[in-house]
Amino acid sequence: MNNPLTFTFALALGDDALIAAQRLAEWATRAPEMEEDIALANIALDQLGAARLLLSYAGELEGAGRDEDALAFLRDDREFRNCLLVELPNGDFAMTMAKLLVLSAYQLPLYTALAGCADERLAAIGGKARKESAYHLDHAALWVKRLGDGTEESHRRMQAGIDQVWPYAHELFVAQPQAPVDPATLRGEFDDTVSAVLAEATLTVPESGWAPGGGRDGVHTEDLSYLLAEMQVLHRAHPGARW
Amino acid sequence: MTEHTPLWEVFVRARRGLAHSHVGSLHAPDAELALRHARDLYTRRQEGVSIWVVPASAITASSPDEKDAFFDPAADKVYRHPTFYDVPEGVAHL
């Protein structure tokens, strides 16, 4: 393998996007209204598009003949490198928006930094994906503000969503000094973005020291196994199936 | 939820220099979300460079029942068309 560090990095980012896409797609036909249904499907497809580029590149870097499909559909849970955040069940709509807020507030500065990194392929992917991330962040922020500063019930559920999701944000920013972009350098911008949204939404950042991790090392929650079973069953039953 | 959120009419400008055209309608709880939804629903394939959303309730429309009174009187007034008039010979700058 030419560059194992870049391979691991591209794989982790690709897995984040792939699993996020699969989770968001679960909302199709179930969103609160038709317009939101399409918005969530759009965002899921953006994530899937980024996942395809990143996994294809990871496969090329690995040089073992695995393409994007082999990486997406023929690995088991312990081989996935996505963060735990994206594999968490969707919960209610408020929790899904909390997850999307944290994910997009992380992906936006990440892809922006990537767009200026030395690796040309990653720079091109970052340049494309950051515009999509900006929209995902905008969409999540809109809903978090409306639900947080809405009715008593919507506020309660939005705060509960943030409380559930927040501990999983820490894993995103564990330092990787050798990586094309060190995630630890993105934490400041993330905190500024999210705290501004939460303040306007009259929500509070939970004070908890709990910081679950392990996703980047392949140690996942059991939720990922069920997600993979559904995502991979067709390809495993009918290898190379197309339509 | 849909039945409780207001209806919005969506206007999209296809290119700079063209007027905004009505493309459809959607439901959204407020103007900002209506604009986001319009972006997702009506400009997925680069159909536009600018979007307006207008509360459907803010539009005052002519009634189909008044169609005759509204539009028919114009039918026999051909002199309202510029082609009704002959341009006299020798008029250079009309």
Side-chain angles (χ1 to χ4, degrees), chain B residues 54-91:
Chain B
V54 179
S57 59
I59 291 178
T60 307
S62 62
S63 159
D65 300 337
E66 294 171 311
K67 187 164 72 75
D68 292 347
F70 252 69
F71 303 116
D72 273 7
D76 58 0
K77 296 181 173 57
V78 289
Y79 49 84
R80 289 179 178 173
H81 293 274
T83 48
F84 177 78
Y85 297 95
D86 293 325
V87 180
E89 290 271 338
V91 175

Side-chain angles (χ1 to χ4, degrees), chain B residues 19-79:
Chain B
H20 286 74
S21 302
H22 185 241
V23 292
S25 56
L26 53 81
H27 288 276
D30 57 49
E32 209 178 347
L33 269 164
L35 200 55
R36 301 307 192 282
H37 287 329
R39 177 262 195 192
D40 288 335
L41 288 168
Y42 294 110
T43 62
R44 289 167 60 82
R45 300 172 190 90
Q46 295 189 303
E47 289 93 337
V49 294
S50 166
I51 303 173
W52 290 347
V53 288
V54 179
S57 59
I59 291 178
T60 307
S62 62
S63 159
D65 300 337
E66 294 171 311
K67 187 164 72 75
D68 292 347
F70 252 69
F71 303 116
D72 273 7
D76 58 0
K77 296 181 173 57
V78 289
Y79 49 84

